Amino acid sequence: MTVRFSTRLAHFVDEKVRAFGEGLNTISGGKALVKLIAISLLMWFMIALAYREVAHSYPVETLEQGPPAVDVETADLANLPETAGQPLTDDTIVTLNAALQGKGYSLKSLHGDIWLYRQRTRIKKVGDRPHLANMDVPHVLLLMGFSMIGSVVQLPAVGGGSQLAVISALQVIYGIPPELALSCGILLWLVTFMSCIPVGLVFAHREHLSLRKLSKASHKQQELAEE
């Protein structure tokens, strides 16, 4: 089974490298390469803005319900990333305190809030839930990276690797609650992937392209490549 997986992986990588090489051969010269790079950067920046606008469409009030949650910075500082987004209960505070004390930090209660201290210096308040509305371009660029990795590693017979990677990144890295991470991941997929289909169908109709013929040609080319 391991040998079969390695063979498939090698075949997949070889196919992608060959396709990339064929694409490079279509570039006529240096000016065309510069234009292509500029257009690619513009497209990726527009996708990043789309990610940002989708995240900002979730109001802050949506995340303010329920008990305070462990923020990502405190969870990372305690080397307990799995606690990010969890309710800030007494048990969670004890667990975080035990991990933070070895680094010279501690959690203390002050006027009903939990604060992070370094020795006697108050650093920041702990327990504010992370907000999708606070995400900016650098944050969404990381999400785009996870989406690209997930699109390569698809789930067998299902797909959805890109959505799963984005949803997991929202929960693990940014501490977004599961229900909001799932909603945002699906909405990002609809905006960045599915929204292109109607426009593509319109242009295909204008160019008198047959999707059935294109599908048959693609299958024939794949069969020839496998042979």
Side-chain angles (χ1 to χ4, degrees), residues 51 142-152 161-163 165-166 193:
Y51 268 60
L142 182 60
L143 284 182
M144 290 169 57
F146 276 93
S147 177
M148 294 172 60
I149 295 173
S151 63
V152 175
S162 175
Q163 300 92 292
V166 171
F193 286 89

Side-chain angles (χ1 to χ4, degrees), residues 107-193:
L107 298 179
K108 298 179 181 180
S109 177
L110 180 65
H111 304 302
D113 297 323
I114 304 299
W115 288 81
L116 176 67
Y117 282 79
R118 185 171 186 177
Q119 296 179 354
R120 296 183 179 181
T121 304
R122 190 170 58 183
I123 306 297
K124 67 182 184 69
K125 187 174 74 170
V126 180
D128 288 336
R129 284 182 174 267
H131 303 312
L132 286 168
N134 294 337
M135 297 182 67
D136 211 337
V137 174
H139 302 96
V140 299
L141 286 176
L142 182 60
L143 284 182
M144 290 169 57
F146 276 93
S147 177
M148 294 172 60
I149 295 173
S151 63
V152 175
V153 187
Q154 295 289 346
L155 300 178
V158 179
S162 175
Q163 300 92 292
L164 180 61
V166 171
I167 293 169
S168 300
L170 285 171
Q171 293 185 64
V172 176
I173 297 179
Y174 296 118
I176 304 300
E179 63 278 3
L180 287 178
L182 178 62
S183 172
C184 185
I186 294 176
L187 192 57
L188 287 172
W189 173 68
L190 291 174
V191 170
T192 55
F193 286 89

Side-chain angles (χ1 to χ4, degrees), residues 8-61:
R8 289 182 178 179
L9 180 61
H11 177 71
F12 174 80
V13 173
D14 179 69
E15 183 179 328
K16 294 299 181 182
V17 171
R18 289 178 181 272
F20 181 73
E22 293 176 359
L24 288 178
N25 291 331
T26 61
I27 301 175
S28 59
K31 291 184 178 180
L33 178 61
V34 172
K35 291 181 180 179
L36 181 62
I37 293 175
I39 293 174
S40 299
L41 291 175
L42 178 62
M43 289 176 58
W44 283 112
F45 182 71
M46 292 177 64
I47 295 173
L49 289 181
Y51 268 60
R52 178 177 176 272
E53 293 304 315
V54 170
H56 286 196
S57 66
Y58 288 82
V60 175
E61 290 77 11

